[in-house]
Amino acid sequence: MTTPSAATPSTASGQGHGPATAPAGAPTGRRGSLGPVGLVLAGGISVQFGGALAVTLMPRAGALGVVTLRLLVAAVVLMVVCRPRLRGHSRTDWGTVVVFGIAMAAMNGLFYQSVARIPLGPAVTLEVLGPLILSVLASRRAVNVVWAALALAGVFLLGGGGFSGLDPLGVAFALAAGAMWAAYIVFSARTGRRFPQADGLALAMAVAAVLFLPLGVLESGTKLLDPTTFALGAAVAVLSSVLPYTLELLALRRLPASTFAIMMSLEPALAATAGFLILDQALAATEAAAIALVIAASMGAVRTQVGRGKVKKSGH
C-alpha cells in the first residue's frame, strides 16, 4: 500500500495535462468537484453492468477468456481512437504506464476468478475494501475516516454480516483484486498527469492485453474466435473497460484520490442493482440498508470536498 503522499494527487507541474491550472486532483469549487463525481458515477454504472454481462459469458469462454477478450478489444479500441504518441516520454513516464497496465491486468484477472466462484454482489463488496483502505491512508482530513468507516459498515452489511458461506478461494481472489484496485487508483491518477488525454490509458490497456493474452488462449483456445462469444466479449470490453476507465482517469485529474476511493464504496450497490436486473438476484432488506449506508458515505465525502473547495476559493 502506498503512503498518503503517494496516493494523493500532487500539485500540477510542467508535465501535467489536466484541464485546469489549479493543483492536480484538488477541487476548484462546486463546479470543479461535481463534474468529476458525475464521471465516477457513470463509470461505476457502466462497469457493473458490464460485469454482470461477463458472468453470463463465462460458461462460453471461461473466466480468463472473458478477461482476455475484455482487455484485448478495449486495447484495440483505445489505441485506434487515441492514437497515442510513443515518442517524447521519459523513462519514468513509461514505468508509470507499465505498472498501471500490470495493475489493470491483475485487478481484472483476480476479480473474474472471484466471480467465477462467488456471487457478483459479495465479490464486489469484498473487492471494494481495497479502495476503502486507500481512502483512510490517503486522506489528510479526519472526517474522511468517518465516511470510510460508514461505508465499510455498509459493505459488511451488504455481505450479510459475514462471508463464511462463500468459497474461500473466491474470497481470497476478491480481496487480492481489491488490493490491485487500490494500486489502479494510484497509478491511474499518475498516468493521467503524465500523458495527455487518454493516451496513457490506451498504452496501459495494451500492456494489460499483451500480458493476459497467453492465459486466455491457454484456457479457452479457439472458443475466443466464436463470433457470438467475441461480440459479447466486445460489449463487456466497452462497458467494463473503455467507458469506465476513460471516465475515471479524467475524473482523477480533478478529484483527490481519497475522495475517489471512498466513492468506490458505491460499487457494491451498483453491482447488486446490475445483478438484480440481469442475473435475477433479488435485494433483501439488509442489502437495501447497506446501499443507503454506502450512498450516505459517498455523499458525505463529496460534500466534504465541496466545502473544502469553497474555503480555499474564499481565501480562508
Side-chain angles (χ1 to χ4, degrees):
M1 187 63 65
T2 60
T3 61
S5 60
T8 305
S10 58
T11 303
S13 62
Q15 61 187 8
H17 303 284
T21 57
T28 55
R30 179 174 296 272
R31 182 176 179 180
S33 293
L34 293 183
V37 168
L39 293 176
V40 173
L41 291 177
I45 292 171
S46 180
V47 75
Q48 294 308 328
F49 277 84
L53 178 60
V55 172
T56 67
L57 180 58
M58 284 183 186
R60 299 178 63 97
L64 297 181
V66 173
V67 177
T68 299
L69 287 174
R70 169 180 171 174
L71 294 177
L72 185 61
V73 173
V76 171
V77 171
L78 288 174
M79 291 295 286
V80 170
V81 172
C82 298
R83 288 182 289 181
R85 181 168 53 89
L86 300 180
R87 296 183 178 182
H89 302 297
S90 68
R91 182 176 299 180
T92 302
D93 293 341
W94 283 113
T96 299
V97 84
V98 167
V99 175
F100 183 26
I102 293 172
M104 192 184 302
M107 177 182 68
N108 281 283
L110 291 166
F111 177 72
Y112 280 95
Q113 286 294 327
S114 175
V115 296
R117 294 169 172 81
I118 62 177
L120 181 63
V124 176
T125 300
L126 288 165
E127 187 192 26
V128 82
L129 294 180
L132 282 173
I133 293 172
L134 174 64
S135 71
V136 175
L137 296 179
S139 175
R140 296 180 180 178
R141 302 194 67 187
V143 68
N144 277 338
V145 178
V146 176
W147 300 130
L150 182 62
L152 186 60
V155 164
F156 279 105
L157 185 59
L158 188 60
F163 299 91
S164 58
L166 300 176
D167 184 322
L169 189 56
V171 170
F173 278 130
L175 292 174
M180 290 299 100
W181 194 355
Y184 158 78
I185 292 172
V186 173
F187 283 94
S188 178
R190 293 183 184 182
T191 299
R193 293 195 298 268
R194 290 185 174 275
F195 291 83
Q197 304 303 321
D199 285 12
L201 173 64
L203 294 170
M205 190 71 72
V207 170
V210 170
L211 289 175
F212 224 93
L213 182 59
L215 299 176
V217 172
L218 184 63
E219 180 184 74
S220 304
T222 57
K223 293 179 181 179
L224 300 177
L225 301 178
D226 178 77
T228 302
T229 299
F230 188 85
L232 291 173
V236 171
V238 172
L239 289 172
S240 297
S241 294
V242 177
L243 286 179
Y245 289 170
T246 301
L247 294 174
E248 290 170 5
L249 186 145
L250 295 175
L252 277 165
R253 289 176 174 165
R254 293 181 288 164
L255 194 68
S258 57
T259 301
F260 177 87
I262 293 175
M263 288 191 65
M264 291 298 97
S265 62
L266 281 172
E267 296 293 342
L270 297 174
T273 302
F276 172 73
L277 295 176
I278 298 179
L279 304 175
D280 295 325
Q281 298 173 350
L283 291 175
T286 55
E287 292 173 326
I291 290 175
L293 282 176
V294 294
I295 290 177
S298 296
M299 291 180 62
V302 172
R303 288 181 63 86
T304 297
Q305 286 304 135
V306 171
R308 184 182 180 187
K310 287 181 177 180
V311 170
K312 284 187 176 182
K313 190 173 181 179
S314 64
H316 295 296

Short mmCIF file of all heavy atoms in Angstrom, two decimals, residues 86-125:
data_model
loop_
_atom_site.label_atom_id
_atom_site.label_comp_id
_atom_site.label_asym_id
_atom_site.label_seq_id
_atom_site.Cartn_x
_atom_site.Cartn_y
_atom_site.Cartn_z
N LEU A 86 4.11 7.83 -29.14
CA LEU A 86 5.03 6.92 -28.48
C LEU A 86 6.37 7.57 -28.15
O LEU A 86 7.11 7.07 -27.31
CB LEU A 86 5.28 5.68 -29.37
CG LEU A 86 4.03 4.86 -29.71
CD1 LEU A 86 4.41 3.67 -30.59
CD2 LEU A 86 3.33 4.38 -28.44
N ARG A 87 6.68 8.68 -28.78
CA ARG A 87 7.95 9.35 -28.54
C ARG A 87 7.77 10.54 -27.62
O ARG A 87 6.68 11.07 -27.47
CB ARG A 87 8.57 9.80 -29.85
CG ARG A 87 8.95 8.65 -30.78
CD ARG A 87 9.63 9.16 -32.04
NE ARG A 87 10.04 8.06 -32.92
CZ ARG A 87 10.68 8.23 -34.08
NH1 ARG A 87 10.96 9.46 -34.50
NH2 ARG A 87 11.01 7.18 -34.81
N GLY A 88 8.88 10.96 -27.03
CA GLY A 88 8.86 12.16 -26.20
C GLY A 88 8.51 11.93 -24.75
O GLY A 88 8.29 12.88 -24.01
N HIS A 89 8.46 10.67 -24.32
CA HIS A 89 8.14 10.35 -22.93
C HIS A 89 9.39 9.89 -22.19
O HIS A 89 10.25 9.22 -22.78
CB HIS A 89 7.06 9.27 -22.85
CG HIS A 89 5.79 9.63 -23.54
ND1 HIS A 89 5.00 10.69 -23.13
CD2 HIS A 89 5.16 9.09 -24.62
CE1 HIS A 89 3.94 10.77 -23.93
NE2 HIS A 89 4.03 9.81 -24.84
N SER A 90 9.47 10.23 -20.93
CA SER A 90 10.63 9.86 -20.12
C SER A 90 10.54 8.41 -19.67
O SER A 90 9.49 7.76 -19.80
CB SER A 90 10.72 10.77 -18.89
OG SER A 90 9.64 10.50 -18.01
N ARG A 91 11.66 7.92 -19.14
CA ARG A 91 11.66 6.55 -18.61
C ARG A 91 10.67 6.42 -17.46
O ARG A 91 10.01 5.38 -17.30
CB ARG A 91 13.07 6.19 -18.14
CG ARG A 91 13.21 4.77 -17.61
CD ARG A 91 14.65 4.45 -17.26
NE ARG A 91 15.51 4.53 -18.43
CZ ARG A 91 16.81 4.30 -18.40
NH1 ARG A 91 17.41 3.98 -17.23
NH2 ARG A 91 17.53 4.39 -19.50
N THR A 92 10.53 7.46 -16.66
CA THR A 92 9.56 7.45 -15.56
C THR A 92 8.14 7.37 -16.08
O THR A 92 7.29 6.67 -15.51
CB THR A 92 9.72 8.70 -14.67
OG1 THR A 92 11.06 8.75 -14.18
CG2 THR A 92 8.76 8.65 -13.49
N ASP A 93 7.86 8.09 -17.16
CA ASP A 93 6.53 8.03 -17.79
C ASP A 93 6.20 6.60 -18.20
O ASP A 93 5.12 6.08 -17.91
CB ASP A 93 6.47 8.93 -19.02
CG ASP A 93 6.57 10.41 -18.67
OD1 ASP A 93 6.33 10.75 -17.50
OD2 ASP A 93 6.90 11.20 -19.57
N TRP A 94 7.14 5.95 -18.88
CA TRP A 94 6.91 4.58 -19.35
C TRP A 94 6.80 3.62 -18.18
O TRP A 94 5.99 2.69 -18.21
CB TRP A 94 8.02 4.15 -20.30
CG TRP A 94 7.89 4.73 -21.66
CD1 TRP A 94 8.70 5.63 -22.27
CD2 TRP A 94 6.84 4.46 -22.61
NE1 TRP A 94 8.25 5.94 -23.52
CE2 TRP A 94 7.10 5.23 -23.76
CE3 TRP A 94 5.72 3.64 -22.60
CZ2 TRP A 94 6.28 5.21 -24.89
CZ3 TRP A 94 4.89 3.62 -23.71
CH2 TRP A 94 5.17 4.40 -24.84
N GLY A 95 7.60 3.83 -17.14
CA GLY A 95 7.50 2.98 -15.96
C GLY A 95 6.14 3.08 -15.31
O GLY A 95 5.55 2.07 -14.89
N THR A 96 5.60 4.30 -15.25
CA THR A 96 4.28 4.51 -14.66
C THR A 96 3.20 3.80 -15.45
O THR A 96 2.33 3.13 -14.89
CB THR A 96 3.97 6.02 -14.60
OG1 THR A 96 4.95 6.67 -13.78
CG2 THR A 96 2.59 6.27 -14.01
N VAL A 97 3.24 3.93 -16.78
CA VAL A 97 2.18 3.34 -17.60
C VAL A 97 2.28 1.81 -17.60
O VAL A 97 1.24 1.11 -17.66
CB VAL A 97 2.23 3.91 -19.03
CG1 VAL A 97 3.24 3.19 -19.91
CG2 VAL A 97 0.85 3.85 -19.69
N VAL A 98 3.50 1.26 -17.51
CA VAL A 98 3.64 -0.20 -17.46
C VAL A 98 3.09 -0.75 -16.15
O VAL A 98 2.37 -1.75 -16.13
CB VAL A 98 5.12 -0.60 -17.64
CG1 VAL A 98 5.33 -2.07 -17.29
CG2 VAL A 98 5.56 -0.36 -19.09
N VAL A 99 3.41 -0.09 -15.03
CA VAL A 99 2.87 -0.54 -13.74
C VAL A 99 1.36 -0.40 -13.72
O VAL A 99 0.64 -1.25 -13.17
CB VAL A 99 3.51 0.26 -12.58
CG1 VAL A 99 2.87 -0.12 -11.26
CG2 VAL A 99 5.01 -0.01 -12.53
N PHE A 100 0.84 0.67 -14.32
CA PHE A 100 -0.61 0.85 -14.43
C PHE A 100 -1.23 -0.32 -15.20
O PHE A 100 -2.26 -0.87 -14.81
CB PHE A 100 -0.89 2.18 -15.13
CG PHE A 100 -2.35 2.54 -15.25
CD1 PHE A 100 -3.30 2.05 -14.36
CD2 PHE A 100 -2.78 3.39 -16.27
CE1 PHE A 100 -4.65 2.40 -14.47
CE2 PHE A 100 -4.11 3.74 -16.39
CZ PHE A 100 -5.05 3.24 -15.50
N GLY A 101 -0.59 -0.73 -16.30
CA GLY A 101 -1.10 -1.85 -17.08
C GLY A 101 -1.05 -3.16 -16.31
O GLY A 101 -1.98 -3.97 -16.39
N ILE A 102 0.03 -3.38 -15.56
CA ILE A 102 0.14 -4.59 -14.75
C ILE A 102 -0.96 -4.63 -13.69
O ILE A 102 -1.61 -5.67 -13.48
CB ILE A 102 1.53 -4.67 -14.08
CG1 ILE A 102 2.61 -4.88 -15.16
CG2 ILE A 102 1.58 -5.80 -13.06
CD1 ILE A 102 4.02 -4.78 -14.62
N ALA A 103 -1.19 -3.49 -13.02
CA ALA A 103 -2.25 -3.42 -12.01
C ALA A 103 -3.62 -3.67 -12.63
O ALA A 103 -4.46 -4.36 -12.05
CB ALA A 103 -2.22 -2.05 -11.31
N MET A 104 -3.83 -3.14 -13.81
CA MET A 104 -5.11 -3.32 -14.50
C MET A 104 -5.34 -4.79 -14.85
O MET A 104 -6.43 -5.34 -14.65
CB MET A 104 -5.12 -2.47 -15.77
CG MET A 104 -6.47 -2.33 -16.44
SD MET A 104 -6.34 -1.38 -17.98
CE MET A 104 -5.64 0.15 -17.39
N ALA A 105 -4.30 -5.45 -15.39
CA ALA A 105 -4.43 -6.86 -15.75
C ALA A 105 -4.68 -7.72 -14.52
O ALA A 105 -5.55 -8.60 -14.53
CB ALA A 105 -3.16 -7.33 -16.48
N ALA A 106 -3.93 -7.47 -13.46
CA ALA A 106 -4.09 -8.25 -12.23
C ALA A 106 -5.46 -8.03 -11.60
O ALA A 106 -6.11 -8.99 -11.16
CB ALA A 106 -2.99 -7.88 -11.23
N MET A 107 -5.93 -6.78 -11.57
CA MET A 107 -7.23 -6.48 -10.99
C MET A 107 -8.34 -7.21 -11.73
O MET A 107 -9.21 -7.84 -11.11
CB MET A 107 -7.47 -4.96 -11.05
CG MET A 107 -8.84 -4.52 -10.53
SD MET A 107 -9.07 -2.72 -10.68
CE MET A 107 -9.15 -2.52 -12.46
N ASN A 108 -8.30 -7.18 -13.05
CA ASN A 108 -9.33 -7.84 -13.84
C ASN A 108 -9.26 -9.36 -13.70
O ASN A 108 -10.28 -10.03 -13.51
CB ASN A 108 -9.19 -7.45 -15.32
CG ASN A 108 -9.77 -6.09 -15.62
OD1 ASN A 108 -10.98 -5.93 -15.73
ND2 ASN A 108 -8.91 -5.10 -15.73
N GLY A 109 -8.06 -9.91 -13.81
CA GLY A 109 -7.92 -11.36 -13.72
C GLY A 109 -8.36 -11.92 -12.39
O GLY A 109 -9.09 -12.92 -12.33
N LEU A 110 -7.95 -11.27 -11.31
CA LEU A 110 -8.31 -11.73 -9.98
C LEU A 110 -9.82 -11.60 -9.74
O LEU A 110 -10.45 -12.49 -9.15
CB LEU A 110 -7.54 -10.94 -8.92
CG LEU A 110 -6.04 -11.23 -8.88
CD1 LEU A 110 -5.32 -10.16 -8.05
CD2 LEU A 110 -5.76 -12.62 -8.31
N PHE A 111 -10.41 -10.50 -10.20
CA PHE A 111 -11.84 -10.30 -9.96
C PHE A 111 -12.68 -11.33 -10.70
O PHE A 111 -13.63 -11.89 -10.15
CB PHE A 111 -12.26 -8.89 -10.39
CG PHE A 111 -13.73 -8.64 -10.24
CD1 PHE A 111 -14.30 -8.50 -8.99
CD2 PHE A 111 -14.56 -8.58 -11.35
CE1 PHE A 111 -15.67 -8.30 -8.84
CE2 PHE A 111 -15.92 -8.38 -11.22
CZ PHE A 111 -16.47 -8.23 -9.95
N TYR A 112 -12.34 -11.62 -11.94
CA TYR A 112 -13.13 -12.59 -12.70
C TYR A 112 -12.93 -14.01 -12.18
O TYR A 112 -13.83 -14.84 -12.28
CB TYR A 112 -12.82 -12.49 -14.19
CG TYR A 112 -13.56 -11.35 -14.85
CD1 TYR A 112 -12.95 -10.10 -15.01
CD2 TYR A 112 -14.86 -11.50 -15.27
CE1 TYR A 112 -13.63 -9.04 -15.59
CE2 TYR A 112 -15.55 -10.45 -15.86
CZ TYR A 112 -14.93 -9.22 -16.00
OH TYR A 112 -15.62 -8.17 -16.57
N GLN A 113 -11.76 -14.29 -11.62
CA GLN A 113 -11.59 -15.57 -10.93
C GLN A 113 -12.50 -15.63 -9.71
O GLN A 113 -13.01 -16.70 -9.35
CB GLN A 113 -10.13 -15.75 -10.51
CG GLN A 113 -9.18 -16.06 -11.64
CD GLN A 113 -9.45 -17.41 -12.27
OE1 GLN A 113 -9.85 -18.36 -11.61
NE2 GLN A 113 -9.23 -17.51 -13.57
N SER A 114 -12.73 -14.49 -9.07
CA SER A 114 -13.60 -14.44 -7.90
C SER A 114 -15.06 -14.67 -8.28
O SER A 114 -15.74 -15.51 -7.69
CB SER A 114 -13.45 -13.09 -7.19
OG SER A 114 -14.36 -12.97 -6.13
N VAL A 115 -15.56 -13.94 -9.30
CA VAL A 115 -16.98 -14.06 -9.65
C VAL A 115 -17.28 -15.40 -10.31
O VAL A 115 -18.46 -15.76 -10.46
CB VAL A 115 -17.44 -12.90 -10.55
CG1 VAL A 115 -17.35 -11.57 -9.82
CG2 VAL A 115 -16.65 -12.86 -11.85
N ALA A 116 -16.24 -16.12 -10.70
CA ALA A 116 -16.46 -17.47 -11.20
C ALA A 116 -16.76 -18.44 -10.05
O ALA A 116 -17.25 -19.55 -10.28
CB ALA A 116 -15.24 -17.97 -11.98
N ARG A 117 -16.50 -18.00 -8.80
CA ARG A 117 -16.66 -18.87 -7.63
C ARG A 117 -17.70 -18.37 -6.63
O ARG A 117 -18.27 -19.16 -5.89
CB ARG A 117 -15.32 -19.02 -6.92
CG ARG A 117 -14.28 -19.77 -7.75
CD ARG A 117 -12.88 -19.67 -7.13
NE ARG A 117 -11.93 -20.54 -7.82
CZ ARG A 117 -11.33 -20.23 -8.97
NH1 ARG A 117 -11.57 -19.05 -9.54
NH2 ARG A 117 -10.49 -21.08 -9.54
N ILE A 118 -17.91 -17.04 -6.56
CA ILE A 118 -18.88 -16.48 -5.62
C ILE A 118 -19.77 -15.48 -6.36
O ILE A 118 -19.40 -15.00 -7.43
CB ILE A 118 -18.18 -15.79 -4.42
CG1 ILE A 118 -17.33 -14.61 -4.89
CG2 ILE A 118 -17.34 -16.80 -3.64
CD1 ILE A 118 -16.66 -13.85 -3.74
N PRO A 119 -20.96 -15.15 -5.82
CA PRO A 119 -21.88 -14.22 -6.50
C PRO A 119 -21.26 -12.84 -6.71
O PRO A 119 -20.34 -12.43 -6.01
CB PRO A 119 -23.07 -14.15 -5.54
CG PRO A 119 -23.02 -15.44 -4.79
CD PRO A 119 -21.56 -15.75 -4.61
N LEU A 120 -21.80 -12.10 -7.68
CA LEU A 120 -21.27 -10.80 -8.06
C LEU A 120 -21.29 -9.80 -6.92
O LEU A 120 -20.31 -9.09 -6.68
CB LEU A 120 -22.08 -10.26 -9.26
CG LEU A 120 -21.64 -8.90 -9.82
CD1 LEU A 120 -20.23 -8.98 -10.36
CD2 LEU A 120 -22.61 -8.45 -10.92
N GLY A 121 -22.43 -9.72 -6.19
CA GLY A 121 -22.54 -8.74 -5.10
C GLY A 121 -21.48 -8.91 -4.03
O GLY A 121 -20.76 -7.96 -3.71
N PRO A 122 -21.36 -10.09 -3.42
CA PRO A 122 -20.31 -10.30 -2.41
C PRO A 122 -18.91 -10.09 -2.96
O PRO A 122 -18.02 -9.60 -2.25
CB PRO A 122 -20.52 -11.75 -1.98
CG PRO A 122 -21.97 -12.02 -2.23
CD PRO A 122 -22.28 -11.24 -3.47
N ALA A 123 -18.66 -10.47 -4.21
CA ALA A 123 -17.34 -10.29 -4.80
C ALA A 123 -16.96 -8.81 -4.86
O ALA A 123 -15.86 -8.41 -4.48
CB ALA A 123 -17.29 -10.90 -6.20
N VAL A 124 -17.87 -7.98 -5.33
CA VAL A 124 -17.60 -6.54 -5.40
C VAL A 124 -17.52 -5.95 -4.00
O VAL A 124 -16.72 -5.05 -3.73
CB VAL A 124 -18.69 -5.83 -6.23
CG1 VAL A 124 -18.47 -4.33 -6.24
CG2 VAL A 124 -18.69 -6.36 -7.66
N THR A 125 -18.34 -6.46 -3.09
CA THR A 125 -18.32 -6.00 -1.70
C THR A 125 -16.94 -6.21 -1.09
O THR A 125 -16.40 -5.32 -0.42
CB THR A 125 -19.38 -6.74 -0.87
OG1 THR A 125 -20.66 -6.48 -1.43
CG2 THR A 125 -19.37 -6.27 0.57
#
